[in-house]
């Protein structure tokens, strides 16, 4: 039992007992099961919206309607599982229906929306500046540079008369799509150790002008309680976002084969791939990604341009389909996104056990630093 507690994470008027945010993971990796379990234990659970409509039987008839229907159901279920805990929603800016998904999140009882894969410089359609100012849901962009953070906050302050409620800084060690050019991924100048303090500093004028705290949440490559301590102590973060570790949990919504791929993955088996959405992504090496890298086209029919900037004409594969197939357990027929630490996963555990391990690692790091 830990006696030294991690600090709480406050986002505007919300408080998470544990400063750990489970990052949204599509397609179908973090839904209500995982998000609800993390929220129940005092962290912030996040439902990923990418491809969420695939849960609905008549998905193909009207993809956007299916996405929004499925999201409302998943939020309701996660809130029920959480017993009053904090449930977030991850919406990629690149999704064709991102505005509608924000409105569904606001209207269905989610607490926070994490906006990723782009600069959120527009309001959801049909929402006035005044309504947007008074949104109940907390708005949190996920960015990869202090420049992007400054740009978003300046734009919101000027055009929306409000600023986001917190910011996630995701570094290049993260799983999923990553917001860096390939040559920058291993450059120490782009590490979270450099990026997070720069964003904390960039937030000072906004904190002073708006008279509110702007928590900065570090993401990408955080694996242990000791890492969480480092994020607080040396990066000045107020919280952490973790994805990879939550994949290897009983409650994760992916097929057991997906979780087992993490357990089986060895050091040196992670690859940076070119995703048709125009960003690099990190995934576990398999036949599928070798084939694509060797120029083999994977047949697909695009039913709906789910990602606005997807290069459908020239894409060698459909990323949404490849991620869905992996999430369903067809490990050689899809793409298994994973963070740079996935090879360290050696077993699958309950969310509670994982969080207890993180708390105890944090406590040991505090003791080691103070004795
Ligand atoms: C399997 C997987 C899928 C992901 N999908 C998304 C996504 O749909 N949207 C998003 O913003 N981030 C996505 N991410 C990134 C996570 O939300 C989180 O920021 C990241 O995993 C943190 O780094 P870590 O994996 O090293 O802990 C994904 C990550 C993984 C591992």
């Amino acid at each position: 039992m830990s006696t030294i507690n991690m600090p709480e994470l406050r986002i505007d008027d919300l408080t998470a007992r544990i400063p750990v945010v489970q990052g949204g993971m599509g397609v179908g990796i973090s839904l209500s099961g995982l998000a609800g379990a993390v929220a129940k234990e005092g962290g912030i659970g996040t439902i990923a919206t990418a491809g969420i409509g695939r849960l609905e039987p008549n998905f193909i008839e009207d993809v956007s309607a299916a996405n929004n229907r499925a999201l409302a159901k998943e939020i309701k279920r996660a809130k029920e599982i959480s017993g009053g805990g904090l449930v977030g929603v991850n919406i990629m800016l690149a999704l064709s229906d991102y505005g509608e998904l924000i409105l569904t999140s606001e209207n269905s009882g989610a607490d926070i929306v994490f906006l990723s894969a782009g600069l959120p410089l527009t309001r959801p359609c049909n929402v006035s500046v005044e309504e947007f100012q008074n949104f109940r849901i907390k708005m949190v962009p996920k960015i990869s540079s202090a420049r992007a953070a400054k740009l978003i906050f300046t734009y919101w302050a000027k055009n929306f008369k409000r600023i986001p409620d917190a910011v996630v800084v995701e570094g290049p060690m993260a799983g999923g799509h990553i917001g860096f050019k390939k040559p920058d991924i291993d450059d120490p100048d782009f590490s979270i150790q450099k990026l997070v303090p720069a964003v904390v500093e960039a937030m000072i004028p906004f904190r002073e002008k708006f008279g509110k705290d702007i928590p900065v949440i570090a993401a990408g490559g955080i694996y242990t309680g000791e890492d969480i301590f480092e994020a607080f102590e040396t990066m000045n973060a107020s919280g952490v976002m973790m994805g990879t570790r939550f994949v290897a949990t009983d409650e994760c919504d992916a097929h057991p084969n997906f979780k087992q791929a993490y357990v089986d993955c060895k050091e040196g088996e992670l690859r940076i791939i070119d995703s048709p959405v125009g960003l690099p992504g990190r995934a576990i090496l398999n036949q599928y990604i070798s084939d694509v890298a060797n120029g083999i086209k994977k047949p697909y029919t695009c039913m709906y341009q789910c990602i606005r900037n997807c290069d459908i004409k020239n894409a060698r594969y459909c990323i949404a389909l490849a991620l869905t197939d992996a999430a369903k357990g067809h490990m050689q027929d899809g793409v298994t996104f994973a963070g740079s630490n996935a090879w360290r996963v050696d077993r699958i555990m309950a969310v509670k056990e994982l969080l207890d391990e993180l708390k105890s690692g944090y406590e040991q790091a505090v003791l080691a630093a103070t004795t």
Side-chain angles (χ1 to χ4, degrees):
M1 203 31 200
S2 299
T3 50
I4 299 170
N5 294 325
M6 296 194 232
E8 293 175 333
L9 169 58
R10 292 213 176 89
I11 301 180
D12 198 32
D13 57 354
L14 302 178
T15 303
R17 219 167 55 242
I18 303 176
V20 176
V21 183
Q22 163 256 309
M25 293 180 283
V27 170
I29 312 296
S30 71
L31 297 169
S32 53
L34 179 57
V38 176
K40 186 176 172 206
E41 296 304 328
I44 298 176
T46 310
I47 297 164
T49 53
I52 196 167
R54 287 170 193 269
L55 296 170
E56 294 288 293
N58 53 352
F59 172 65
I60 299 165
E61 284 164 29
D62 183 345
V63 178
S64 184
N67 284 337
N68 283 282
R69 241 187 354 260
L71 177 59
K73 286 185 196 166
E74 287 298 295
I75 293 170
K76 186 167 179 283
R77 188 162 172 263
K79 287 298 284 183
E80 279 164 12
I81 296 171
S82 79
L86 298 177
V87 171
V89 171
N90 169 257
I91 306 175
M92 299 200 298
L93 269 289
L95 293 178
S96 298
D97 48 2
Y98 100 99
E100 290 89 335
L101 293 167
I102 294 177
L103 286 180
T104 300
S105 306
E106 163 80 356
N107 296 330
S108 306
D111 299 290
I112 305 170
V113 56
F114 296 97
L115 299 167
S116 64
L119 296 177
L121 301 180
T122 50
R123 281 174 280 123
C125 44
N126 304 326
V127 172
S128 68
V129 169
E130 204 187 353
E131 285 165 331
F132 195 53
Q133 267 177 299
N134 295 321
F135 255 27
R136 176 195 56 76
I137 199 161
K138 310 303 168 210
M139 307 287 287
V140 182
K142 190 199 256 189
I143 46 88
S144 297
S145 70
R147 192 168 158 265
K150 261 189 248 171
L151 207 145
I152 295 166
F153 277 69
T154 306
Y155 190 91
W156 282 44
K158 183 162 178 247
N159 295 287
F160 306 155
K161 314 282 177 254
R162 62 162 291 184
I163 51 173
D165 299 287
V167 61
V168 177
V169 185
E170 191 185 66
M173 296 301 129
H177 287 114
I178 37 189
F180 297 85
K181 294 195 188 89
K182 271 189 182 174
D184 297 341
I185 290 174
D186 294 316
D187 182 338
D189 279 347
F190 295 93
S191 66
I192 48 170
Q193 284 77 7
K194 289 264 171 77
L195 293 179
V196 173
V199 174
V200 171
E201 204 187 315
M203 292 297 101
I204 295 171
F206 298 99
R207 194 178 68 204
E208 285 168 358
K209 182 164 179 213
F210 285 84
K212 67 182 251 173
D213 253 1
I214 306 162
V216 176
I217 299 165
I222 293 168
Y223 194 80
T224 62
E226 287 80 357
D227 296 342
I228 297 176
F229 176 73
E230 189 202 342
F232 280 97
E233 280 301 297
T234 63
M235 302 178 213
N236 267 329
S238 301
V240 295
M241 176 176 277
M242 300 169 69
T244 295
R245 290 243 43 199
F246 285 106
V247 170
T249 59
D250 298 327
E251 293 91 338
C252 168
D253 297 279
H255 189 279
N257 292 352
F258 191 96
K259 305 178 193 182
Q260 191 59 37
Y262 274 47
V263 177
D264 295 341
C265 169
K266 295 184 187 60
E267 195 170 4
E269 288 183 349
L270 291 155
R271 290 289 180 278
I272 299 297
I273 62 165
D274 292 312
S275 162
V277 308
L279 290 170
R282 184 176 278 105
I284 298 178
L285 178 63
N286 66 357
Q287 192 58 50
Y288 191 96
I289 64 173
S290 299
D291 285 353
V292 172
N294 290 327
I296 297 172
K297 198 168 162 41
K298 300 285 180 181
Y300 65 89
T301 315
C302 181
M303 301 170 300
Y304 167 78
Q305 178 144 9
C306 59
I307 296 184
R308 226 177 290 136
N309 50 343
C310 182
D311 183 5
I312 297 171
K313 234 166 138 195
N314 300 308
R316 282 194 213 134
Y317 66 105
C318 166
I319 186 71
L321 186 63
L323 292 172
T324 306
D325 281 338
K328 284 183 179 163
H330 310 305
M331 303 320 295
Q332 292 307 319
D333 301 326
V335 171
T336 307
F337 270 163
S340 57
N341 281 320
W343 62 274
R344 292 167 70 182
V345 170
D346 57 6
R347 70 190 179 92
I348 294 155
M349 57 177 94
V351 162
K352 182 174 181 338
E353 191 186 348
L354 170 58
L355 291 173
D356 284 346
E357 186 195 302
L358 295 175
K359 285 182 209 166
S360 135
Y362 177 85
E363 182 180 24
Q364 280 160 29
V366 173
L367 290 172
T370 50
T371 49

